[in-house]
Amino acid sequence: MSVIEPHDSDEGWAGRVAFASGPEPFAFVPGEVVVGGGRGRDIASELFGSRLDDIEPVFPSREEGAGQFFVMRTNEELDAITVVQDLRLEGVVAQPNHVLFAHGDCCCGVHPADRGQGCVGASPVYASPVYASPVYGSPVYASPVYASPVYASPVYASPVYASPVYASPVYASPVYASPVYASDMQASGKHHSSARPAAGPGAVVRTAPAGAYRPRVTVLDTGLARDGLRPQSLDGVLHQGASWQEGPDDDGDQYLDPAAGHGTFISFLIDTLCPGCDITADRVLTNYGEGNEVAIARRIDEADTDLLNLSFGGYAMEHMNVLAAAVRGAQVRGTVVVASAGNDGTCRATFPAALPGVIGVAAIGPSGPARFSNYGPWVRACAPGVDMVSGFFTVFDGAGPAPAGGTDPDNFAGWARWSGTSFSAPVVVAALARELQHGLTSAQAVSRVIDAPGLLRLADMGTVVNLA
């Protein structure tokens, strides 16, 4: 396996991200290796000694044997992937510190959007009356199954595309154009954001049910727009420290950073679909959309919440043991973890979406599965993720020129239109949060929204979830 090292540059993620090539590529932090337990730490110290610059526990609050891992920083003499392979030969649980992206190649069969005659909508499944109209106005939704008291919740009472946040049937580009596989971006991550200005959806203002429980929702992402640039309705959103504040142009090139506003967009979407939540928005991703497994796992381990929205993912050398340990700890505490499936159009499992018990969410559009969405048996749900409209930076006008007689593509005034599985996940989070407001436990909410018999499901895309 060869390693594609990033260029020496201060721009983007250069120096922070390396890419391992091969049949199953993945991204990782150069010079960082993670080992499991005190035995792994001791063997690594014996093997590499002074060539390890630093060793520290991943989860400071955990005991050495309680799912503890240690992250090691190697000096320039050692390649992280080689160190991992050497440690594995010694029987040590070892892995690179993977990099995950706010959202490559696969030989797992035809994408759900293309099944049938090889084009969207050609198969009998997607040519059926279920998909005959954008609002899914077929008899499937008029059946006694969906009219029963069991499905009388707002989650199931509306047409799939009746939600005002789902604005247009026109496909925009995915949030990120496969950062792991896009060679033009591997050096630095420099590319234009695919978010576009939008008018407000004109939605009816929702209010939380009187006396309802306030679900605790944590959004680990790029944080929230800083004071003066975020939608007013998010002024009361909780946060953890100063790291939560994001700006639209951290690198100063006068263009919207690739992932800038990602956390704001997601938090506003949840707040719009399920007002009355206590939302904690914290920063684990840069404005370029990348974050490393160890740092993300630490934040998950600290989270005290009912619902955890993780609109990012990545591919692993084999497995993300550190992320899995943090997610499992959160699940033991009663947290439901919801993660986006990814935008690479592949069935290759992404993490954390494919971890046990996590609700991995794919994206659908008005004609069925979104062509950019990842898919597979590890995906448990799908929700609208095409041309979603949500709150954004209240003021930002980038350097991009406005076309003659057209709309300025980077002049934002509080709203944006964006596509991707990143924005399907918060729809599912909001659906679960509504059930918590009505007195259900987290487990009961998952059972009702995701796992109940009779719900509409798509092969390799999971249960269809939508709100109005």
Side-chain angles (χ1 to χ4, degrees):
M1 177 178 290
S2 62
V3 176
I4 305 170
E5 294 292 352
H7 297 311
D8 291 331
S9 170
D10 292 332
E11 290 190 336
W13 60 49
R16 298 196 303 265
V17 182
F19 294 88
S21 65
E24 294 192 336
F26 59 90
F28 64 98
V29 178
E32 291 194 3
V33 173
V34 180
V35 297
R39 175 180 174 274
R41 175 199 57 199
D42 295 342
I43 292 177
S45 297
E46 290 174 10
L47 285 178
F48 301 105
S50 61
R51 291 180 291 174
L52 298 178
D53 292 336
D54 192 19
I55 301 178
E56 64 179 58
V58 172
F59 304 117
S61 63
R62 295 190 185 185
E63 297 294 331
E64 190 168 289
Q68 184 59 277
F69 293 85
F70 294 86
V71 59
M72 311 183 307
R73 293 170 183 84
T74 68
N75 61 28
E76 294 181 358
E77 299 175 25
L78 294 175
D79 167 68
I81 301 303
T82 301
V83 171
V84 168
Q85 292 169 338
D86 288 347
L87 288 171
R88 288 181 174 182
L89 289 175
E90 298 293 328
V92 174
V93 175
Q95 63 165 76
N97 185 4
H98 296 98
V99 172
L100 297 88
F101 298 91
H103 310 131
D105 300 324
C106 178
C107 299
C108 305
V110 181
H111 190 281
D114 295 338
R115 291 174 182 170
Q117 303 300 318
C119 61
V120 176
S123 85
V125 175
Y126 301 114
S128 74
V130 176
Y131 294 92
S133 78
V135 294
Y136 284 16
S138 79
V140 171
Y141 287 90
S143 75
V145 174
Y146 294 101
S148 74
V150 175
Y151 297 97
S153 146
V155 176
Y156 306 105
S158 70
V160 170
Y161 289 98
S163 167
V165 298
Y166 192 91
S168 158
V170 180
Y171 275 76
S173 66
V175 184
Y176 299 106
S178 306
V180 173
Y181 297 96
S183 59
D184 290 344
M185 297 192 314
Q186 283 187 352
S188 67
K190 296 282 286 185
H191 64 289
H192 289 164
S193 171
S194 60
R196 292 293 177 263
V204 176
V205 177
R206 297 176 180 82
T207 57
Y213 173 70
R214 293 179 62 84
R216 299 169 301 157
V217 178
T218 296
V219 177
L220 297 184
D221 210 272
T222 57
L224 279 184
R226 61 176 177 256
D227 293 345
L229 290 179
R230 66 176 174 270
Q232 249 185 344
S233 67
L234 294 180
D235 281 347
V237 169
L238 303 176
H239 59 89
Q240 297 172 0
S243 67
W244 68 293
Q245 298 197 12
E246 62 170 338
D249 180 24
D250 281 0
D251 60 12
D253 65 358
Q254 299 184 53
Y255 286 93
L256 182 69
D257 291 341
H262 199 256
T264 300
F265 192 100
I266 290 165
S267 298
F268 192 98
L269 196 57
I270 295 170
D271 186 60
T272 299
L273 292 173
C274 187
C277 294
D278 280 331
I279 303 175
T280 297
D282 203 3
R283 186 176 179 91
V284 296
L285 307 178
T286 73
N287 270 26
Y288 282 82
E290 101 278 1
N292 72 75
E293 180 183 358
V294 167
I296 290 169
R298 283 172 172 162
R299 295 295 179 89
I300 293 173
D301 196 53
E302 295 166 356
D304 182 16
T305 189
D306 297 314
L307 300 166
L308 184 58
N309 188 102
L310 305 177
S311 286
F312 51 77
Y315 305 100
M317 185 176 181
E318 286 184 7
H319 191 63
M320 292 194 186
N321 296 293
V322 178
L323 191 65
V327 166
R328 180 56 186 156
Q331 292 168 334
V332 168
R333 297 192 298 273
T335 297
V336 173
V337 181
V338 179
S340 51
N343 300 334
D344 299 320
T346 175
C347 66
R348 183 182 173 191
T350 58
F351 299 99
L355 291 173
V358 172
I359 301 173
V361 185
I364 53 176
S367 298
R371 188 62 187 81
F372 59 77
S373 180
N374 288 3
Y375 62 98
W378 49 275
V379 175
R380 292 182 63 189
C382 55
V386 177
D387 268 0
M388 304 297 281
V389 173
S390 186
F392 204 59
F393 295 109
T394 53
V395 180
F396 179 74
D397 187 4
T407 303
D408 190 336
D410 58 359
N411 186 359
F412 294 89
W415 297 91
R417 185 188 307 278
W418 222 341
S419 295
T421 60
S422 280
F423 315 121
S424 303
V427 174
V428 173
V429 167
L432 295 169
R434 285 192 185 183
E435 300 300 327
L436 297 185
Q437 285 181 326
H438 288 90
L440 272 67
T441 65
S442 296
Q444 289 170 334
V446 172
S447 177
R448 183 170 184 178
V449 175
I450 306 298
D451 297 333
L455 298 179
L456 177 64
R457 292 181 173 86
L458 305 180
D460 290 331
M461 301 289 283
T463 304
V464 176
V465 177
N466 193 60
L467 295 173

